[in-house]
Amino acid sequence: MTQLSHLFSPIRIGRMEVRNRIMMPGMSAGQMLDADLNVTPEMIAYFVERAKAEPGLMAVGASEVVPPPATDKPRFPVSLYDDKWIPSLKRLVDAVHEYDTKFGIQLWTGGTQSSGSVHLSPSGIPAMAAAVADSRYAPKLKTLTVEEIAGVVRNFADAARRCKAAGFDFVEIHAGHGYLISAFLTPYFNRRTDEYGGSLENRSRFLIQILRAVREAVGDEMGVGVKINGEDFLAGEGGWTVADAVELAPLLEREGADYISVTAGVMGGTRLTIPPMYEKQGCFTDLADAVKKVVSIPVATIGRIKNPVMGDELVAEGRADIVCMGRAMIVDSEVVSKARRGDIDDIRKCLADCRGCADHEMRSIRRGSPGQVSCVLNPRMQRESVCIDIEGSAKDNPKKVLVIGAGLSGLEAARRTAFSGHKVTLCESRDWIGGQIRYAAMIPGRHEIADMLPWYERQLAKHGVDVRLGTMVDADLIRELAPDVVFVATGSVPQVPQQMLENVTNAQNIEFVMIDDLLEEQLELDDPVLVVGGDQIGMQAADYISEGGRTVYVAEAHKHFAQKLAANDRWYLVGRTMAKNVRRIKNVSNIEIDGEDQIWLHNDQGREHLPGVKTVVFASERRSDRGLAEVAKSMGLETYVVGDAFDASSEDAATIFANVAQAYDIARRI
């Protein structure tokens, strides 16, 4: 506590006395609704678990204030345009208020970045990139009239009144991320010539009217915050800038805002609103710092703040008053309580690998089943009501568990079974834990992916796992250990594609390298280089190899690249390789090496020569290594194959997300 005294100091926000400076900001995560859009017990369990750690503030994410067309049948998000939802929201609020945290909700409408059939806009300008839309709808753009703008203002006020009736402590008007209010603020999207367009005073009129109406609806006893962009990061002219934010902030203070939360980015901008690990930690804090200098009300900062120590420093340095830790509270619901007692090393830190949170949700929206959010390192995310983990639950009748392989799935299997109280031995043939995670952390911009390994080491020690490194497991060792349960987590190995075996045999002066060998042995490669395989491993390999200024080609059999990565990560990775002139070739059906060691690619565009290739790196196909599973089964042992050893090739396999979840789900049942 004394180490983080600034972060855990109280603050007054409007009339609210808030016990510390940590906020779980509004996110789409946790919004689990029934068919009638009522809050479910699962949603309550999600928020209550995080409320137990008692952050200063918590908020439900973007909640719709504008009624959709009658033909739409929304399934998501929380909706605030009818009194019928007040009772279920009150159940949520009452449950959270069992703990000492101030609970709020975001007032929102998405504009051109929503998934309904009609997209409201100031001027009929679409988003810079296509919104991730519900597959049931073909959206139409609608430019708001002055009368319709007044109606939306009333929608916000009515929604705020319902939030007050439900017992929320505060509301937050979402005016960022390119949503409807943000679009009114941004010249690129707002080309109106009436009182809502042109000057910043006019462009902010919509937001100011909403703020006034919301304040009038809830009175002074309820907190009212505003979330704004510090930057849109739009290429070219017409974007919202930090200078605009600095000019707007005092107006918001004057009109009664109790705090301002500063975020950044719009869909199609040069930087993303949900920053992956390619962005630095605290990537938007400079924007909050600029706004804080011109207002006296509290300012919140957001953007990859995963370590409470950083949060404490931001408050101590006067760069922000409130520190938003969103994904940090998804991956570890106890991050606040652990920070409070100084147990920083026990915090499971967010990797900013967005495959479980943002990407899983986007994929669910495309399937027409929105609201599915998870976490690559916390498989209990949004399953808190059914995955009830009780430490030591098996201690009175423990089993002997052998886990073979200390890659990610093996680490999770060992951790979770030991957490229950079983006697666990973890054997790893190498002298280190982590498996392919060690390789992944060598890729430019992705070193934080190894941040999970010290946490796993700590958990294994905490729960008494017998870790044996440099230990090859065979039938004799299995018999000696006499386990009741065996987890085979021996991973996968890269292999040469079947159709290229003859090429490898016949080539004279081309060097062939397996991706694992390239990274483990840090091999120097002759230039140019052809990477065979353009999914997550191949594209990361291309980024790694091209750092040396080499000419790199990537040959991919399918029409997309890095599909197993989260879209946010993929966007940055592809951008990095494009900047280094890595050439990507898709739909490659065959790779031919002739008698002169010349390489030819065959795809739907024909036959193409890649001149002078000296090195070929195989990064496409992997073979599951599960031989020890048959050995264990032949002994009559209860045997489970997890991670890449179970599946290294199917569409959703061989990711952190898949491997941790599978190992956890099996281990918790032992």
Side-chain angles (χ1 to χ4, degrees):
M1 177 74 179
T2 55
Q3 292 178 330
L4 303 176
S5 59
H6 299 92
L7 192 62
F8 284 95
S9 62
I11 185 172
R12 186 177 180 86
I13 302 174
R15 293 191 178 182
M16 294 188 296
E17 294 289 346
V18 181
R19 67 178 304 187
N20 62 61
R21 309 300 185 95
I22 301 174
M23 180 178 188
M24 186 178 94
M27 300 177 284
S28 52
Q31 293 202 28
M32 291 162 278
L33 308 170
D34 65 18
D36 296 318
L37 298 181
N38 288 301
V39 169
T40 61
E42 291 77 18
M43 181 171 175
I44 292 174
Y46 166 84
F47 280 98
V48 164
E49 177 154 317
R50 285 150 182 86
K52 288 177 180 177
E54 298 188 337
L57 305 125
M58 298 175 62
V60 178
S63 300
E64 181 62 79
V65 304
V66 177
T71 53
D72 285 9
K73 294 182 179 179
R75 305 176 191 173
F76 185 87
V78 168
S79 295
L80 302 172
Y81 47 84
D82 196 296
D83 288 355
K84 67 183 178 181
W85 290 302
I86 294 174
S88 81
L89 288 169
K90 190 175 188 307
R91 288 193 293 273
L92 170 63
V93 172
D94 289 346
V96 170
H97 277 162
E98 291 290 318
Y99 305 92
D100 190 0
T101 186
K102 300 300 181 184
F103 194 32
I105 187 168
Q106 284 182 341
L107 308 179
W108 167 90
T109 195
T112 60
Q113 295 181 186
S114 58
S115 61
S117 63
V118 176
H119 288 182
L120 305 179
S121 74
S123 303
I125 307 299
M128 298 286 286
V132 178
D134 191 315
S135 58
R136 297 169 295 165
Y137 302 133
K140 297 178 181 178
L141 269 174
K142 176 176 175 52
T143 300
L144 290 169
T145 65
V146 170
E147 292 76 17
E148 288 166 337
I149 289 172
V152 175
V153 171
R154 288 193 296 272
N155 292 148
F156 273 89
D158 290 342
R161 173 184 56 78
R162 295 181 182 106
C163 296
K164 182 178 180 181
F168 284 101
D169 299 297
F170 67 96
V171 292
E172 181 178 276
I173 300 166
H174 199 325
H177 292 177
Y179 299 131
L180 183 60
I181 301 174
S182 174
F184 268 85
L185 293 170
T186 301
Y188 177 86
F189 298 110
N190 184 347
R191 307 189 186 177
R192 302 176 73 100
T193 57
D194 59 12
E195 66 266 37
Y196 291 96
S199 67
L200 186 139
E201 179 184 3
N202 284 355
R203 286 182 282 115
S204 63
R205 191 181 306 277
F206 182 42
L207 170 56
I208 296 299
Q209 289 178 341
I210 289 171
L211 175 55
R212 289 173 180 169
V214 167
R215 175 56 78 194
E216 183 178 355
V218 302
D220 291 335
E221 63 271 22
M222 190 177 187
V224 177
V226 182
K227 186 171 192 171
I228 64 171
N229 269 9
E231 276 275 1
D232 283 352
F233 301 126
L234 288 180
E237 302 209 356
W240 178 263
T241 69
V242 68
D244 297 317
V246 166
E247 187 176 350
L248 175 64
L251 302 180
L252 298 176
E253 179 176 17
R254 185 188 68 198
E255 295 293 343
D258 292 315
Y259 74 88
I260 298 172
S261 181
V262 183
T263 183
V266 301
M267 190 172 293
T270 58
R271 293 168 67 183
L272 301 182
T273 60
I274 304 176
M277 67 181 72
Y278 289 101
E279 289 274 12
K280 69 177 182 178
Q281 294 178 43
C283 53
F284 301 149
T285 56
D286 57 326
L287 304 173
D289 187 16
V291 169
K292 180 169 167 51
K293 288 180 170 64
V294 298
V295 295
S296 59
I297 57 175
V299 172
T301 188
I302 197 167
R304 289 215 62 213
I305 303 170
K306 70 180 195 177
N307 192 330
V309 175
M310 171 182 275
D312 190 73
E313 291 170 352
L314 291 170
V315 177
E317 294 166 2
R319 302 181 66 194
D321 303 289
I322 304 163
V323 177
C324 294
M325 300 182 70
R327 285 177 288 174
M329 293 187 70
I330 288 177
V331 67
D332 193 334
S333 61
E334 300 177 37
V335 60
V336 178
S337 52
K338 290 176 180 178
R340 183 182 289 112
R341 62 177 182 259
D343 204 357
I344 303 298
D345 290 340
D346 200 45
I347 294 171
R348 180 165 47 183
K349 294 185 176 70
C350 173
L351 301 181
D353 177 328
C354 304
R355 183 65 177 84
C357 52
D359 200 68
H360 192 52
E361 181 186 20
M362 287 189 283
R363 294 176 191 227
S364 76
I365 290 171
R366 291 190 188 99
R367 293 192 299 266
S369 56
Q372 298 179 30
V373 182
S374 189
C375 175
V376 295
L377 288 182
N378 179 11
R380 291 186 64 245
M381 162 64 186
Q382 291 204 171
R383 298 196 295 166
E384 289 84 0
S385 65
V386 293
C387 296
I388 301 172
D389 289 352
I390 302 173
E391 186 173 354
S393 59
K395 65 180 180 180
D396 294 333
N397 188 27
K399 294 181 179 180
K400 293 172 66 177
V401 177
L402 170 62
V403 179
I404 308 172
L408 192 51
S409 57
L411 292 172
E412 179 61 20
R415 180 202 71 84
R416 185 57 187 81
T417 49
F419 174 88
S420 293
H422 296 297
K423 305 298 182 183
V424 182
T425 301
L426 172 63
C427 294
E428 166 57 48
S429 60
R430 292 184 173 90
D431 292 327
W432 39 267
I433 68 168
Q436 290 183 56
I437 293 300
R438 296 280 188 184
Y439 303 150
M442 297 171 65
I443 304 302
R446 299 186 69 82
H447 65 277
E448 283 182 61
I449 209 162
D451 280 2
M452 68 183 81
L453 299 182
W455 181 82
Y456 269 112
E457 286 183 303
R458 181 180 172 90
Q459 299 309 304
L460 299 182
K462 177 180 177 180
H463 298 298
V465 175
D466 178 9
V467 180
R468 303 186 183 186
L469 302 177
T471 301
M472 294 291 297
V473 176
D474 56 17
D476 289 339
L477 182 57
I478 296 174
R479 291 190 191 95
E480 177 187 331
L481 295 173
D484 303 300
V485 179
V486 176
F487 281 86
V488 176
T490 40
S492 64
V493 293
Q495 59 182 359
V496 178
Q498 188 70 30
Q499 66 270 27
M500 288 198 67
L501 288 173
E502 186 175 346
N503 284 329
V504 173
T505 302
N506 294 337
Q508 300 298 311
N509 297 304
I510 295 176
E511 182 181 12
F512 296 94
V513 177
M514 309 306 287
I515 179 60
D516 290 17
D517 294 334
L518 167 66
L519 296 171
E520 184 165 357
E521 299 175 24
Q522 299 184 44
L523 300 175
E524 288 294 328
L525 304 181
D526 290 333
D527 186 24
V529 179
L530 169 63
V531 177
V532 178
D535 204 336
Q536 59 171 345
I537 295 177
M539 283 300 295
Q540 290 179 57
D543 193 14
Y544 174 83
I545 296 164
S546 60
E547 282 291 273
R550 299 177 186 84
T551 299
V552 179
Y553 305 96
V554 180
E556 167 56 35
H558 301 98
K559 63 180 180 179
H560 297 297
F561 295 86
Q563 283 298 287
K564 287 189 177 182
L565 279 182
N568 291 26
D569 295 74
R570 181 168 62 247
W571 190 88
Y572 280 82
L573 175 59
V574 170
R576 285 179 54 84
T577 57
M578 289 175 65
K580 294 184 286 184
N581 296 314
V582 171
R583 178 141 180 259
R584 294 171 289 131
I585 304 127
K586 62 184 179 180
N587 297 321
V588 175
S589 57
N590 186 39
I591 299 174
E592 171 192 349
I593 303 178
D594 65 21
E596 303 297 322
D597 278 353
Q598 296 300 304
I599 293 183
W600 301 79
L601 301 186
H602 298 255
N603 66 4
D604 51 356
Q605 301 299 308
R607 184 171 181 257
E608 179 182 356
H609 178 225
L610 300 184
V613 170
K614 297 290 194 300
T615 308
V616 174
V617 176
F618 291 110
S620 57
E621 299 181 17
R622 299 188 72 89
R623 174 179 56 81
S624 294
D625 181 5
R626 61 172 79 99
L628 286 171
E630 297 306 316
V631 175
K633 288 177 182 178
S634 71
M635 298 178 181
L637 300 175
E638 183 180 347
T639 304
Y640 300 96
V641 183
V642 293
D644 276 21
F646 176 78
D647 184 0
S649 59
S650 65
E651 181 179 357
D652 291 321
T655 64
I656 298 173
F657 184 32
N659 289 354
V660 171
Q662 186 212 15
Y664 168 83
D665 282 338
I666 294 174
R668 67 181 295 267
R669 297 196 299 267
I670 301 300

